[in-house]
């Protein structure tokens, strides 16, 4: 009888150890990254946080996995005695991608976004904060309402295949005007070199030729858009900016698009926002490299 009881106890121990081991394997699935080094804030009541996300690896295993580095911070009015007040002057929510890995190309891309993050952080803490403080003082002196300033930067990845990593960044600021101002920026990286791909590097012809081709396609597409300036056809050519593009890959069809975009006020009012044109790469295949 005692031997049977010992056997049962032994089996139960084995089962419990197996369960405990399985639980441990399921822990620690989410990791977070730390923000890039930044300078000291003008007030003590600041907080910096980062959120971690991961891009799903594609079937070929060529997609970059990435997390987020960023700054989430609120700056307050400083009292005359040096103590922090309760009035919020400005707040920032800034995010950039951070690719997992340590080869030289990936480090080059990560370094680029770490530098941009540091630049925006310094601007927010030193210049933007002072602008907000001046605006608050003006509102108080004139007994008018103060609306807190903000900086929001976020991104999405438009292409993440075996060759390219294309990032689109949306940046919004409210600095006391009638409305927030939103702009786009973008970078398309060559995974083989870690360098930014210039628009001219995509084409086998001179700039004047590919620009004319793109403008014709965009003018045709613009006929289907609303709220553009009346002379949009002229403005599309005149305000064309070489760096304002990115590569978009449709994950459902695999189709590749060259996306050219125009900032607010370029070809449409600010209320229209960013105006973009999706140009199928097959449509311009004869002038691509």
């Amino acid at each position: 009888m005692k031997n049977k009881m010992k056997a049962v106890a032994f089996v139960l121990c084995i089962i419990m150890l197996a369960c405990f081991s399985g639980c441990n394997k399921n822990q620690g699935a989410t990791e977070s990254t730390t923000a890039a080094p930044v300078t000291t804030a003008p007030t003590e009541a600041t907080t910096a946080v980062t959120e971690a996300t991961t891009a799903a690896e594609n079937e070929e295993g060529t997609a970059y996995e990435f997390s987020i580095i960023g700054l989430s911070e609120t700056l307050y009015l400083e009292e005359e005695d040096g103590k922090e007040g309760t009035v919020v002057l400005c707040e920032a929510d800034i995010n950039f991608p951070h690719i997992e890995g340590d080869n030289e190309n990936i480090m080059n891309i990560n370094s680029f976004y770490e530098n941009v993050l540091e630049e925006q952080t310094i601007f927010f803490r030193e210049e933007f904060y002072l602008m907000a403080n001046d605006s608050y003082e003006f509102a108080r002196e004139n007994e008018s309402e103060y609306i807190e300033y903000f900086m929001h930067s976020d991104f999405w990845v438009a292409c993440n295949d075996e060759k390219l990593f294309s990032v689109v960044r949306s940046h919004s600021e409210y600095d006391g005007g009638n409305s927030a101002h939103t702009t786009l920026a973008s970078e398309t990286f060559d995974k083989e070199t870690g360098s930014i791909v210039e628009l001219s590097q995509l084409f086998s012809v001179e700039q004047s030729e590919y620009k004319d081709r793109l403008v014709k396609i965009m003018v045709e597409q613009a006929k289907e858009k609303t709220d553009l300036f009346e002379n949009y056809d002229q403005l599309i050519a005149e305000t064309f900016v070489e760096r304002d593009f990115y590569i978009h890959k449709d994950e459902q069809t695999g189709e590749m698009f060259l996306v050219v975009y125009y900032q607010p006020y370029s070809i449409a009012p600010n209320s229209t926002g960013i105006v973009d044109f999706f140009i199928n790469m097959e449509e311009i295949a004869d002038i691509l490299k």
Side-chain angles (χ1 to χ4, degrees):
M1 185 65 177
K2 290 182 179 180
N3 290 337
K4 288 183 178 181
M5 291 177 67
K6 289 182 179 179
V8 171
F10 179 78
V11 172
L12 288 174
C13 288
I14 295 297
I15 293 173
M16 290 175 66
L17 286 172
C19 292
F20 180 78
S21 176
C23 291
N24 284 342
K25 290 180 180 179
N26 292 328
Q27 293 177 352
T30 302
E31 297 181 356
S32 60
T33 61
T34 56
V38 292
T39 58
T40 304
T43 69
E44 295 178 357
T46 60
T47 57
V49 300
T50 57
E51 298 177 2
T53 61
T54 303
E57 193 171 17
N58 63 19
E59 293 180 359
E60 295 78 21
T62 56
Y64 282 155
E65 292 185 356
F66 58 91
S67 55
I68 293 175
I69 59 172
L71 175 78
S72 181
E73 184 166 282
T74 300
L75 300 183
Y76 298 84
L77 177 68
E78 192 171 297
E79 301 284 357
E80 291 183 0
D81 60 1
K83 294 182 179 179
E84 177 187 293
T86 58
V87 176
V88 175
L89 286 182
C90 53
E91 61 93 16
D93 187 13
I94 304 171
N95 297 310
F96 294 99
H98 179 83
I99 303 169
E100 305 300 330
D102 57 2
N103 69 51
E104 185 176 356
N105 296 342
I106 288 177
M107 291 173 67
N108 286 340
I109 299 174
N110 286 339
S111 179
F112 175 86
Y113 288 116
E114 287 167 2
N115 289 335
V116 178
L117 171 59
E118 184 170 7
E119 289 172 2
Q120 289 195 10
T121 301
I122 293 173
F123 172 74
F124 171 72
R125 291 176 172 175
E126 298 182 3
E127 297 183 41
F128 202 70
Y129 171 78
L130 293 179
M131 291 165 54
N133 188 77
D134 290 344
S135 182
Y136 176 80
E137 292 298 330
F138 178 85
R140 185 166 61 176
E141 290 173 2
N142 291 273
E143 298 181 348
S144 57
E145 180 185 7
Y146 172 74
I147 302 175
E148 67 186 60
Y149 283 27
F150 67 76
M151 284 178 57
H152 293 169
S153 292
D154 212 344
F155 71 92
W156 69 91
V157 176
C159 181
N160 188 10
D161 63 8
E162 66 276 6
K163 295 181 180 180
L164 301 173
F165 187 65
S166 193
V167 178
V168 189
R169 300 185 281 121
S170 174
H171 183 82
S172 297
E173 287 185 14
Y174 177 78
D175 55 4
N178 293 326
S179 60
H181 183 59
T182 301
T183 58
L184 280 191
S186 55
E187 296 82 32
T188 296
F189 295 94
D190 183 338
K191 289 187 174 182
E192 291 185 1
T193 63
S195 59
I196 294 177
V197 178
E198 304 292 341
L199 184 62
S200 60
Q201 294 176 293
L202 299 175
F203 295 95
S204 59
V205 295
E206 295 296 323
Q207 181 193 44
S208 58
E209 186 173 343
Y210 71 70
K211 179 182 174 181
D212 287 347
R213 181 77 168 273
L214 296 178
V215 167
K216 288 179 181 178
I217 295 172
M218 290 188 289
V219 168
E220 191 63 29
Q221 288 187 17
K223 295 177 181 178
E224 304 300 321
K225 296 182 180 291
T226 59
D227 299 328
L228 302 183
F229 293 135
E230 289 185 2
N231 60 335
Y232 66 82
D233 53 344
Q234 177 184 351
L235 293 173
I236 286 175
E238 291 180 353
T239 63
F240 179 84
V241 178
E242 285 273 319
R243 67 176 178 274
D244 287 351
F245 82 95
Y246 60 91
I247 304 299
H248 171 78
K249 181 175 183 178
D250 189 315
E251 295 300 329
Q252 300 298 321
T253 65
E255 291 180 293
M256 302 287 287
F257 295 86
L258 170 64
V259 183
V260 179
Y261 56 88
Y262 287 79
Q263 308 290 357
Y265 301 111
S266 296
I267 64 174
N270 183 51
S271 58
T272 304
I274 305 295
V275 180
D276 52 17
F277 299 92
F278 281 68
I279 302 169
N280 196 309
M281 301 289 263
E282 292 184 358
E283 189 175 355
I284 54 174
D286 58 309
I287 58 173
L288 293 173
K289 287 184 180 178

